[in-house]
Amino acid sequence: MAAAIKAKVFQTENTVALARNLIGTRLVIAPAQGEPIARRITETEAYHGEEDLACHARRGRTARTEVMYAAGGVWYVYLCYGVHEMLNLVTGPRDRPCAVLIRGVEGLTGPGRLTRALGIDRRFNGRAASVATGLWIEDDGFRPAPRQILATPRVGVDYAGPHWAGRKWRFVWPAGHDGTRHSRSSSEA
DNA sequence: TACTCGATCGGA
DNA sequence: CCGATCGAGTAA
């Protein structure tokens, strides 16, 4: 049964594990008019607090990063390169600035591409990931088999130095990018 | 207030 | 490989 994942789940101490766990869940957006659109998440990245030099919160609280200090379960959407809206889910307990960047969903590779295709922008910044706000994440029990999920270094964060840029905190489900189903290897929650 | 630099993408 | 495009962050 598909159910919206609750904020409490997002408030875990282990954002890296959560980023991996979100692979295969469904990102759902309910437009002002028309049917909701749901696509399985195929690519994520974890950002882990002020100590993580790749994380926007590496310099502490600022106008932009303030939303990351909220308790997990709200969206953090910012404009990248003056062009692309980047969708992140704030995670962790209150005052712990962690987040998961949604980098890809079925049929839509790339963080900037998926937001453009789904009509997601900074209006969602600071809003809850819930049915009420029209953008949420759903768990229907399906997950790719663990060995189908790849862990790689995060993209575009070389500025963080080898120690942080080298962490394999990006998770990819390659087969999911083309919408292919692999029921034989799917697992139950 | 000036200046730099992006958690990217598409086109040359 | 490079330009687009603009707001946050930093320094002054």
Side-chain angles (χ1 to χ4, degrees):
Chain A
M1 315 304 290
I5 299 177
K6 292 184 167 47
K8 193 158 293 184
V9 174
F10 300 137
Q11 289 160 17
T12 172
E13 299 276 349
N14 197 339
T15 291
V16 176
L18 177 65
R20 192 180 190 288
N21 241 282
L22 287 175
I23 299 294
T25 60
R26 308 200 306 171
L27 178 68
V28 189
I29 182 166
Q33 21 186 307
E35 294 300 302
I37 302 166
R39 293 193 186 237
R40 292 196 191 280
I41 294 171
T42 57
E43 182 177 345
T44 61
E45 274 177 3
Y47 287 86
H48 204 259
E50 296 179 350
E51 71 280 5
D52 176 6
L53 296 185
C55 182
H56 284 171
R58 64 188 175 279
R59 294 184 181 99
R61 291 179 185 264
T62 66
R64 184 174 64 161
T65 63
E66 186 60 34
V67 66
M68 297 186 76
Y69 289 80
V74 301
W75 298 112
Y76 165 42
V77 187
Y78 72 95
L79 186 67
C80 187
Y81 292 99
V83 180
H84 308 285
E85 307 280 342
M86 306 290 275
L87 176 66
N88 299 255
L89 176 69
V90 172
T91 63
R94 186 176 179 179
D95 296 326
R96 199 82 46 83
C98 301
V100 173
L101 169 64
I102 311 298
R103 292 187 54 90
V105 297
E106 289 174 287
L108 292 171
T109 304
R113 283 210 198 101
L114 81 87
T115 53
R116 181 161 51 83
L118 298 177
I120 296 166
D121 59 30
R122 283 164 287 175
R123 289 174 308 179
F124 286 101
N125 189 50
R127 302 178 68 171
S130 69
V131 177
T133 63
L135 183 61
W136 69 96
I137 298 176
E138 228 170 56
D139 183 0
D140 63 356
F142 173 84
R143 289 293 188 289
R147 63 183 307 153
Q148 291 188 64
I149 301 175
L150 309 179
T152 83
R154 293 170 292 181
V155 175
V157 296
D158 286 348
Y159 60 78
H163 178 72
W164 292 103
R167 307 304 294 269
K168 295 184 175 177
W169 286 356
R170 170 175 174 252
F171 300 97
V172 193
W173 174 32
H177 281 303
D178 55 21
T180 305
R181 292 292 180 279
H182 292 256
S183 56
R184 194 173 121 267
S185 46
S186 68
S187 59
E188 286 304 315

